[in-house]
Amino acid sequence: MSPSDATVASDRPYHAKRPHKKSRAGCKNCKARKVKCDEARPICRSCNLRKNECVYPGPANPTDSSKPRSAPDRVDNAPTRSESPTSAFEECCNGHSYVSAHSNALLCASTAPHVTDACPLELKNDLQLLREPLFRPAIARDDFEMRLLWFYTTATCSSFSFEYAAERPVETIMRTRIVYHAFQTPFLMQSLLALAALHLQNLNQEIDPKRALAYRATSFEGYRKAVEEADPETFPAMIINSLLLTALSSQAFRDADGKDLYIVDWMIVWRGIGLIIQTMGFERFLSSGLKSLFYRPPMDLDDTAKHIPNILLYMITSIPESDPDFQETQTYYDTLKYLGALYQSLHDGGFGPLMALRIITWFTFIPHGFVELGRQRRPRALVIIAYYAAFVKLANSVWWIRGIGQRTLRDICRHLGPEWSCFLNSLNGSPRTSLRRKILWLPPYTDTLLGPVS
């Protein structure tokens, strides 16, 4: 090419290419040299001229990623690329989910996040448990249930976490380890779906109420059978479910036709956690990796006794010997010590995560004898529960706690009537700031503690 031609060519905005047909099945040598292969067999023209061995790629491996994924029957067939939890669940929610022939082949290890050596050992174990469902498991019947599972892993899993630090071990367990057990235990999966549906209902989202109720009913029935069978293989799922039931059963407080004094039944649900731990065995419980879910702030009962409201001390110390409650005086007093811990926490530190955790887990502390008194609807037991319910109103920011305090106070006031109004006429209708202000400004505590009855 002459210099003038080169100048003209360099002025062109692009270089024209001759029309050609690309080689799709060329030999390996031509592909490596990035030249077109004439695909002649057994040896192509380029390899013949260069005296090279001509090797063509073999047939595609039927188990590689080119195989259609519409109905995988092995975990190994799942894609090996890593995906974030959100992307995988959104893919399922948008209809790109896959049906498995085996309900136990639900999880793909290749989708677990990359874990570095610098990652703490406990967090490594939790991250290794994160297996994203890249196809619809047999226990998830449709896209709606996959949406519920996605919502649980992105929002509902934080419902039991009161952690505000960068690391949230409770939330991590709820998002990973619990989902892992749910894929192996159908009744626990039903609980996760029921909890997510209940959460969405409380956010005023349109959820079929019959279907949400069916999830709860199936969960309760499966859990009941598991408790009766007491199979060690299901112990982790049972202890997890015992915690989730406290939130699932809370809907009865918000139902217009809910049972009166349901707080007594709810108290028994909370006590069931300890019974499951006893059945499971403490050593097995500690080795399950679930201990963080059941953390309770410690308390000094000798110190908390100083914060018991005077009006409640008077109610206990004035029991006549002829009253059946006289023999239960010590049980009542022991329970008031745990109630005093709530007053102490509010006095010392105000309302915060630790205070919320004390309030929500309070029923797990109280003596077994008090639970029986509550079941018998003893008036003094109900009065103590009413004072506890006033604290529950402080924790209304937790969606599954919302409405429990107000409903309980209403039920107890109606049940006990005017005879016990001297102990109850101050417990209704106080906002959080008013409650804290009156506790801090009126020591020792008086019957005007929490404001007027509404």
Side-chain angles (χ1 to χ4, degrees):
M1 180 165 45
S2 65
S4 61
D5 292 338
T7 301
V8 173
S10 63
D11 292 337
R12 294 176 183 174
Y14 61 89
H15 298 281
K17 292 184 177 180
R18 291 179 297 174
H20 64 285
K21 182 179 179 181
K22 292 184 177 180
S23 171
R24 301 293 183 183
C27 71
K28 292 183 178 181
N29 288 331
C30 291
K31 286 183 177 294
R33 295 175 56 233
K34 297 183 179 181
V35 298
K36 182 181 178 181
C37 180
D38 65 357
E39 302 178 17
R41 303 294 179 107
I43 181 171
C44 70
R45 181 173 179 273
S46 177
C47 289
N48 188 31
L49 292 175
R50 300 172 66 86
K51 307 299 182 183
N52 289 338
E53 181 182 6
C54 188
V55 179
Y56 284 91
N61 189 342
T63 62
D64 64 10
S65 59
S66 63
K67 179 179 178 179
R69 299 190 302 168
S70 58
D73 55 357
R74 291 172 53 108
V75 173
D76 296 338
N77 295 347
T80 59
R81 61 184 178 89
S82 296
E83 300 183 32
S84 67
T86 302
S87 64
F89 279 105
E90 285 180 341
E91 183 181 24
C92 294
C93 292
N94 291 330
H96 304 290
S97 48
Y98 312 100
V99 180
S100 170
H102 304 287
S103 61
N104 61 345
L106 303 176
L107 311 174
C108 178
S110 62
T111 60
H114 177 67
V115 182
T116 65
D117 292 337
C119 185
L121 178 61
E122 183 177 356
L123 185 56
K124 281 185 181 182
N125 295 335
D126 287 330
L127 290 177
Q128 294 291 358
L129 288 172
L130 183 57
R131 310 289 201 271
E132 300 170 12
L134 298 182
F135 50 87
R136 179 186 299 139
I139 53 178
R141 295 170 296 180
D142 52 30
D143 290 341
F144 174 73
E145 293 188 353
M146 292 305 297
R147 290 188 178 97
L148 290 180
L149 184 57
W150 172 80
F151 185 76
Y152 170 84
T153 60
T154 56
T156 307
C157 65
S158 63
S159 300
F160 292 85
S161 174
F162 299 91
E163 306 153 311
Y164 291 90
E167 294 184 3
R168 302 180 181 181
V170 171
E171 186 173 330
T172 300
I173 293 173
M174 295 290 294
R175 178 179 289 112
T176 58
R177 192 176 295 269
I178 287 183
V179 174
Y180 171 80
H181 287 295
F183 275 119
Q184 302 180 52
T185 315
F187 75 81
L188 182 56
M189 178 61 75
Q190 292 296 308
S191 293
L192 297 191
L193 298 176
L195 193 62
L198 190 60
H199 192 182
L200 286 168
Q201 283 181 315
N202 279 267
L203 293 173
N204 298 320
Q205 300 297 309
E206 292 186 5
I207 298 292
D208 184 356
K210 294 182 179 179
R211 192 161 185 180
L213 182 61
Y215 290 139
R216 274 182 276 162
T218 305
S219 167
F220 294 162
E221 179 64 18
Y223 177 65
R224 183 187 63 81
K225 291 181 179 179
V227 171
E228 292 175 352
E229 296 172 357
D231 182 359
E233 293 295 325
T234 64
F235 280 169
M238 287 168 57
I239 187 63
I240 294 168
N241 209 70
S242 68
L243 178 63
L244 299 183
L245 284 182
T246 61
L248 289 173
S249 58
S250 70
Q251 183 59 27
F253 291 101
R254 294 178 288 274
D255 290 338
D257 57 348
K259 179 181 177 181
D260 288 339
L261 292 177
Y262 185 72
I263 188 68
V264 175
D265 294 349
W266 201 56
M267 174 175 60
I268 297 172
V269 172
W270 273 102
R271 300 293 297 184
I273 296 176
L275 297 177
I276 296 299
I277 293 178
Q278 291 179 12
T279 303
M280 185 177 184
F282 196 64
E283 293 299 326
R284 190 190 298 267
F285 169 69
L286 292 178
S287 63
S288 67
L290 303 171
K291 182 179 68 173
S292 298
L293 293 180
F294 302 92
Y295 170 76
R296 303 179 302 172
M299 59 183 69
D300 183 347
L301 294 183
D302 291 334
D303 199 20
T304 62
K306 304 173 185 177
H307 296 264
I308 300 173
N310 286 345
I311 191 172
L312 295 182
L313 285 175
Y314 170 76
M315 181 183 72
I316 301 305
T317 57
S318 63
I319 300 176
E321 292 186 12
S322 58
D323 194 307
D325 273 347
F326 183 77
Q327 297 179 352
E328 309 296 344
T329 301
Q330 188 61 46
T331 300
Y332 284 127
Y333 182 65
D334 291 341
T335 305
L336 288 180
K337 289 181 181 179
Y338 292 109
L339 186 65
L342 302 184
Y343 284 91
Q344 181 187 31
S345 295
L346 193 60
H347 179 277
D348 293 346
F351 186 83
L354 185 64
M355 179 71 188
L357 191 57
R358 285 192 189 279
I359 293 172
I360 293 175
T361 61
W362 188 75
F363 277 138
T364 66
F365 285 98
I366 59 177
H368 175 72
F370 182 81
V371 177
E372 291 302 315
L373 295 174
R375 294 182 67 175
Q376 298 170 21
R377 310 297 199 266
R378 297 280 186 99
R380 290 179 180 85
L382 294 180
V383 168
I384 294 175
I385 293 175
Y387 274 75
Y388 163 68
F391 280 93
V392 175
K393 291 168 63 178
L394 292 177
N396 270 347
S397 58
V398 181
W399 68 267
W400 55 275
I401 294 293
R402 194 172 300 126
I404 294 179
Q406 191 66 30
R407 174 66 179 267
T408 298
L409 288 170
R410 188 200 72 179
D411 290 351
I412 292 177
C413 289
R414 289 179 178 179
H415 180 80
L416 294 180
E419 181 181 355
W420 295 88
S421 61
C422 61
F423 299 104
L424 298 173
N425 62 6
S426 60
L427 290 178
N428 244 329
S430 294
R432 176 186 302 175
T433 54
S434 175
L435 171 60
R436 181 169 184 263
R437 185 183 303 116
K438 292 183 178 182
I439 288 179
L440 295 179
W441 288 5
L442 292 177
Y445 309 107
T446 69
D447 61 345
T448 60
L449 182 64
L450 304 178
V453 171
S454 59

